[in-house]
């Protein structure tokens, strides 16, 4: 019996790692062998591996795969648990590294890692959809909730679009309007925030970016030029454009997904630089090189940028009505005051005798003394008066646009951003500053022009129909020249 002991020990301690190594899907071996950070996507619902300590009811809820320079991790959905792939013994072992106790609150959540910190956002459970951002506490080995500036909800099974920008530490996602309507008699009773939102993960601040189209996008990889979706397109959020893939690449991807290897959804898909990888649990993985030349601009934006909120949105309907009535009353009062002030006063002149007695006339005629010449005609404003209305930045922009228009050329948005000093600010700040300055110039100068045609006008660019170029309207060139020349 003793001569069989070494073989028995070898069987007990050696067969486990060997069997795990043999059972490790090739796509995960490839992912684990990469040294850096990779953003991994999966819509697979079955358990990635058989975790012996994981309750059976969590085996069909899906998972998040996290890969960075420290290793490969699995977050089983709905659990809050973290398993790390251990390859130290030249084998593949999944080792749990957390002590999470509570579960069932974060099904269909987003799991990711930034600056060596694990995060989990949103999810569903216990009859509610939450918009909570959680960070993993390495000391307590459990999750802590993070305070955010707003409550934004996201749901994976409803156009679950999201984009993790590891360079800028932001999470962009498409919010849902009714997070918990399934538990309300009236589904419109609770209205959440809807649209494309961006979260600064470190600061905890949400910013509304705009509104996406109703087309669902299931992301399968992050390429250097944007997000690859299952509709054979690339979403470039930085430049707000949607690119289609060339017919050749589309045919190759179709050939991959139509094979018998993917009767079910892939367990993992990702891109390393410009190489797209996809694989299931049992077969060798597939890969495909996608170059920049394979992207064709469709001319369609990914989202509609957020417009500057109007007065009605800012203060509400009732408050707006009160403000409007106040402005109307002030305006009417000002008109009445000006009308009374402008009414000519007639000076009455009588003829007198040398003795001081009024000289009678057949009709005792009265003569109205003519008003001075200056009162007959309104004062003509000179451009120096207009200059007092324009701020320094407005005058600089007006002169810049005039010089270009005088040379019969249009002014681009980038040129306006540079002359106004906001070229290094965010797109939202650039748009707001540009709109405010041009709107202020047109409003102030409309006092003089009394014309529906704006002084600063725009037209769509011939090279990019989504963008505008600006110019001084020809009808107002003479006025603007007087203003900038201080004549």
């Amino acid at each position: 019996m003793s001569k069989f002991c070494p073989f028995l020990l070898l069987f007990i301690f050696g067969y486990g790692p060997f069997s795990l190594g043999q059972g490790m899907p090739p796509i995960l071996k490839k992912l684990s062998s990469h040294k850096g950070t990779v953003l991994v996507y999966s819509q697979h619902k079955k358990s990635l591996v058989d975790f012996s300590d994981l309750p059976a009811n969590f085996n069909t809820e899906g998972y998040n795969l996290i890969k960075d320079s420290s290793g490969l991790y699995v977050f089983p959905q709905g659990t809050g648990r973290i398993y790390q792939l251990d390859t130290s013994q030249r084998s593949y072992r999944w080792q749990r590294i957390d002590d999470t106790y509570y579960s069932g609150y974060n099904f269909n959540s987003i799991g990711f890692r930034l600056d060596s910190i694990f995060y989990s956002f949103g999810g569903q459970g216990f009859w509610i959809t939450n918009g909570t951002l959680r960070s993993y506490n390495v000391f307590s080995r459990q999750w802590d909730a993070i305070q955010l500036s707003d409550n934004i909800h996201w749901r994976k099974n409803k156009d679950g679009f999201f984009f993790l920008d590891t360079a800028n530490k932001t999470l962009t996602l498409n919010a849902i309007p009714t997070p918990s309507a399934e538990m309300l008699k009236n589904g419109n009773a609770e209205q959440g925030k809807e649209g494309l939102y961006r979260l600064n993960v470190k600061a905890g601040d949400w910013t509304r970016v705009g509104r996406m189209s109703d087309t669902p996008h299931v992301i399968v990889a992050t390429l250097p030029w944007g997000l690859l979706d299952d509709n054979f397109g690339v979403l470039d959020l930085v430049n707000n454009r949607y690119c289609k893939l060339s017919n050749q690449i589309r045919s190759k991807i179709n050939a991959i997904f139509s094979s018998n290897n993917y009767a079910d959804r892939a367990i993992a898909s990702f891109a390393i630089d410009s190489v797209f990888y996809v694989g299931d649990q049992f077969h060798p993985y597939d890969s495909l090189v996608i170059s920049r030349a394979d992207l064709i601009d469709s001319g369609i934006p990914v989202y509609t940028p957020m417009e500057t909120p109007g007065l009605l949105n800012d203060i509400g309907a009732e408050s707006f009505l009160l403000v409007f009535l106040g402005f109307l009353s002030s305006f009417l009062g000002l008109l009445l005051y000006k009308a009374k002030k402008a009414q000519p006063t007639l000076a009455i002149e009588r003829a007198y005798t040398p003795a001081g007695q009024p000289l009678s006339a057949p009709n005792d005629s009265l003569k109205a003394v003519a008003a001075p010449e200056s009162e007959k005609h309104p004062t003509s404003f000179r451009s120096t008066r207009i200059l007092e209305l324009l701020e320094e930045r407005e005058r600089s922009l007006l002169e810049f646009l005039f010089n270009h228009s005088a040379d019969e050329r249009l002014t681009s948005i980038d040129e306006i951003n540079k002359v106004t000093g906001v070229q290094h600010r965010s797109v939202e700040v650039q748009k707001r500053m540009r709109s405010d300055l041009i709107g202020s110039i047109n409003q102030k100068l409309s006092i003089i022009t009394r014309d529906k045609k704006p002084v600063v006008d725009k037209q769509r660019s011939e090279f990019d129909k989504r963008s505008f170029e600006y110019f001084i309207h020809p009808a107002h060139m003479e006025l603007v020249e007087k203003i900038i020349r201080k004549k």
Side-chain angles (χ1 to χ4, degrees), residues 13 21 30 44 90 106 126 148 172 212 239 242 249 266 280 297 362 387 421 445 457 470 473:
F13 294 101
K30 172 62 182 178
H44 203 275
R90 295 185 178 181
N106 62 340
F126 294 124
L148 302 179
T172 304
M212 294 189 69
N239 299 301
Y242 184 73
I249 294 298
D280 72 344
D297 192 348
L387 285 173
L445 296 187
D457 209 342
Y470 295 81
H473 197 284

Side-chain angles (χ1 to χ4, degrees), residues 180-228:
S180 303
E182 63 270 16
M183 296 306 300
L184 300 176
K185 292 182 178 180
N186 180 5
N188 296 323
E190 180 181 350
Q191 291 293 332
K193 292 179 172 58
E194 185 178 12
L196 193 65
Y197 282 81
R198 180 176 294 124
L199 172 65
N200 184 323
V201 176
K202 296 300 180 181
D205 294 329
W206 283 105
T207 303
R208 190 170 189 268
V209 179
R211 181 182 296 274
M212 294 189 69
S213 64
D214 295 332
T215 304
H217 298 281
V218 177
I219 307 304
V220 296
T222 300
L223 295 170
W225 315 283
L227 303 173
L228 176 65

Side-chain angles (χ1 to χ4, degrees), residues 4 11 16 52 95 132 186 190 192-193 219 222 265 269 297 380 416-417 442-443 472:
F4 293 105
F11 177 81
S52 59
Q95 180 180 359
T132 306
N186 180 5
E190 180 181 350
K193 292 179 172 58
I219 307 304
T222 300
R265 290 180 180 270
S269 61
D297 192 348
S380 176
I416 293 178
N417 291 338
N442 284 333
Q443 183 180 10
I472 301 298

Side-chain angles (χ1 to χ4, degrees), residues 189-468:
E190 180 181 350
Q191 291 293 332
K193 292 179 172 58
E194 185 178 12
L196 193 65
Y197 282 81
R198 180 176 294 124
L199 172 65
N200 184 323
V201 176
K202 296 300 180 181
D205 294 329
W206 283 105
T207 303
R208 190 170 189 268
V209 179
R211 181 182 296 274
M212 294 189 69
S213 64
D214 295 332
T215 304
H217 298 281
V218 177
I219 307 304
V220 296
T222 300
L223 295 170
W225 315 283
L227 303 173
L228 176 65
D229 68 5
D230 62 348
N231 292 323
F232 307 108
V234 175
L235 290 79
D236 181 2
L237 265 73
V238 175
N239 299 301
N240 191 19
R241 61 177 183 173
Y242 184 73
C243 299
K244 296 180 180 179
L245 296 177
S246 64
N247 291 333
Q248 183 179 15
I249 294 298
R250 291 165 63 96
S251 299
K252 291 182 179 180
I253 296 178
N254 260 328
I256 291 175
F257 284 108
S258 62
S259 68
N260 294 330
N261 295 355
Y262 304 100
D264 201 350
R265 290 180 180 270
I267 66 169
S269 61
F270 54 87
I272 299 177
D273 294 327
S274 59
V275 183
F276 172 59
Y277 295 89
V278 61
D280 72 344
Q281 197 161 1
F282 307 105
H283 302 88
Y285 61 83
D286 293 287
S287 62
L288 177 65
V289 177
I290 302 176
S291 68
R292 176 66 182 83
D294 294 317
L295 273 64
I296 304 171
D297 192 348
S298 67
I300 302 173
V302 178
Y303 62 91
T304 302
M306 183 188 68
E307 298 180 356
T308 304
L311 181 62
L312 183 59
N313 294 333
D314 288 341
I315 62 178
E318 294 182 359
S319 300
F320 174 78
L321 182 59
L322 294 176
V323 172
F324 174 75
L325 292 176
F327 274 117
L328 182 60
S329 300
S330 301
F331 178 72
L332 294 177
L334 181 62
L335 290 180
L336 182 61
Y337 171 76
K338 287 186 175 181
K340 289 183 177 180
K341 187 175 180 181
Q343 185 175 358
T345 302
L346 297 180
I348 306 302
E349 182 180 296
R350 284 182 180 268
Y352 289 86
T353 64
Q357 299 296 324
L359 180 62
S360 60
N363 297 321
D364 196 20
S365 60
L366 302 178
K367 295 188 295 180
V369 179
E373 186 68 22
S374 60
E375 295 183 7
K376 291 183 179 180
H377 303 285
T379 303
S380 176
F381 282 93
R382 294 178 59 83
S383 60
T384 51
R385 301 286 299 273
I386 304 303
L387 285 173
E388 297 175 2
L389 297 178
L390 299 178
E391 298 177 356
E392 182 63 31
R393 183 175 291 185
E394 295 169 349
R395 292 198 299 269
S396 299
L397 176 58
L398 187 64
E399 183 174 2
F400 186 76
L401 293 169
F402 174 81
N403 292 334
H404 280 191
S405 298
D407 292 337
E408 297 184 354
R409 57 165 292 192
L410 301 172
T411 303
S412 67
I413 289 177
D414 291 338
E415 290 174 320
I416 293 178
N417 291 338
K418 289 181 181 179
V419 77
T420 55
V422 296
Q423 67 271 29
H424 300 301
R425 306 290 294 275
S426 66
V427 175
E428 292 82 1
V429 173
Q430 293 175 357
K431 181 177 180 181
R432 184 171 63 251
M433 179 64 72
R434 188 169 61 250
S435 176
D436 290 348
L437 284 176
I438 294 176
S440 179
I441 292 173
N442 284 333
Q443 183 180 10
K444 292 176 180 179
L445 296 187
S446 66
I447 301 174
I448 305 304
T449 63
R450 300 185 182 278
D451 194 343
K452 293 183 179 180
K453 295 186 292 290
V455 173
V456 180
D457 209 342
K458 65 182 179 180
Q459 70 178 40
R460 291 197 178 273
S461 171
E462 296 180 359
F463 303 98
D464 185 355
K465 295 302 181 182
R466 299 168 298 173
S467 181
F468 288 95

